[in-house]
Amino acid sequence: SQQGEEDPQALSIQEGENATMNCSYKTSINNLQWYRQNSGRGLVHLILIRSNEREKHSGRLRVTLDTSKKSSSLLITASRAADTASYFCATGSSSNTGKLIFGQGTTLQVKP
Amino acid sequence: GAVVSQHPSRVICKSGTSVKIECRSLDFQATTMFWYRQFPKQSLMLMATSNEGSKATYEQGVEKDKFLINHASLTLSTLTVTSAHPEDSSFYICSASNVRFVTEAFFGQGTRLTVV
């Protein structure tokens, strides 16, 4: 079953611009993770934020988590054409180690 | 991070035949493995959870007799798609975790199954 919605479903921006993707979920979580997937390929783990954290940075990525609203956002700053991919949030619960429920994903296109 | 290897990366099979997909944890013991399916332009759907040495737990709507999962060792889980049909064509991806990692799961590269 899907955990929730990702918004927007598709996003097209110019290189150098920032891209923001949002994710909402329904149940209590232990952590929330963001993944990237290039077309037809496997998943690349980007960042994990725990339920007691509010913000996390990794390079050009910034993730926020608001557990009261059951939502998260992924910000990619100074985007590059190579950032073109689908981005998924996935939630992990404390009851099942490693089990992830994925959001529907955002398809990002960065135009050179 | 830990390495999970999935094989094959691509497979084409005829309708009615069975296909086995392997998921191996190369440098850690995977107490739990997960199998996901992804249809084109869609998200990953969890199919089942397998714990080493016990029967897999299937998600609602997933046929256990069609998707046979075996997790006989701490480094290998297999997914067998039995009597495959064209509608089983999909991208199948596994992940593996260990209680030591608490929250981390490591993904294989995925298998593109095409049933003709």
Side-chain angles (χ1 to χ4, degrees):
Chain A
S1 61
Q2 295 303 121
Q3 173 65 285
E5 301 287 325
E6 285 194 52
D7 167 50
Q9 291 188 3
L11 181 60
S12 182
I13 59 175
Q14 293 295 134
E15 212 167 24
E17 294 180 340
N18 296 342
T20 300
M21 290 160 263
N22 302 296
C23 165
S24 62
Y25 56 92
K26 298 175 182 174
T27 62
S28 296
I29 63 170
N30 173 275
N31 65 85
L32 187 144
Q33 304 181 36
W34 285 90
Y35 288 85
R36 184 183 73 216
Q37 184 182 37
N38 289 80
S39 181
R41 307 289 292 275
L43 296 174
V44 175
H45 183 262
L46 296 176
I47 198 164
L48 179 152
I49 186 166
R50 300 184 191 280
S51 60
N52 60 353
E53 298 175 309
R54 292 297 168 258
E55 188 171 313
K56 207 162 184 180
H57 297 254
S58 176
R60 293 184 296 113
L61 306 180
R62 172 177 167 253
V63 168
T64 63
L65 178 64
D66 186 336
T67 53
S68 67
K69 295 181 179 178
K70 290 187 166 57
S71 68
S72 174
S73 68
L74 170 68
L75 168 67
I76 304 175
T77 60
S79 64
R80 305 167 183 168
D83 294 329
T84 295
S86 292
Y87 291 81
F88 295 94
C89 67
T91 54
S93 71
S94 55
S95 61
N96 254 309
T97 302
K99 176 180 177 179
L100 295 174
I101 304 297
F102 283 80
Q104 296 177 341
T106 294
T107 300
L108 173 66
Q109 181 185 31
V110 182
K111 299 176 183 177
Chain B
V3 179
V4 175
S5 176
Q6 192 171 335
H7 177 81
S9 57
R10 289 180 180 272
V11 59
I12 301 173
C13 71
K14 292 184 177 180
S15 268
T17 61
S18 295
V19 174
K20 180 183 285 188
I21 302 169
E22 293 187 347
C23 181
R24 292 181 185 272
S25 56
L26 299 185
D27 53 3
F28 70 101
Q29 294 184 326
T31 51
T32 308
M33 286 188 172
F34 305 90
W35 288 94
Y36 297 83
R37 179 170 59 186
Q38 184 181 32
F39 291 110
K41 299 189 186 303
Q42 294 189 26
S43 186
L44 283 79
M45 298 289 291
L46 179 65
M47 297 175 67
T49 302
S50 75
N51 293 298
E52 185 266 338
S54 63
K55 289 185 178 180
T57 302
Y58 290 81
E59 296 297 304
Q60 192 173 5
V62 178
E63 300 174 58
K64 61 179 68 176
D65 293 331
K66 180 162 187 63
F67 299 100
L68 301 179
I69 291 171
N70 183 283
H71 191 168
S73 79
L74 284 170
T75 58
L76 174 64
S77 176
T78 60
L79 167 68
T80 301
V81 182
T82 62
S83 187
H85 290 282
E87 56 265 31
D88 298 323
S89 298
S90 187
F91 188 66
Y92 294 87
I93 190 165
C94 69
S95 71
S97 70
N98 185 292
V99 291
R100 291 187 297 114
F101 303 140
V102 182
T103 56
E104 298 276 357
F106 301 94
F107 282 84
Q109 307 96 313
T111 297
R112 174 76 58 194
L113 170 64
T114 304
V115 185
V116 298

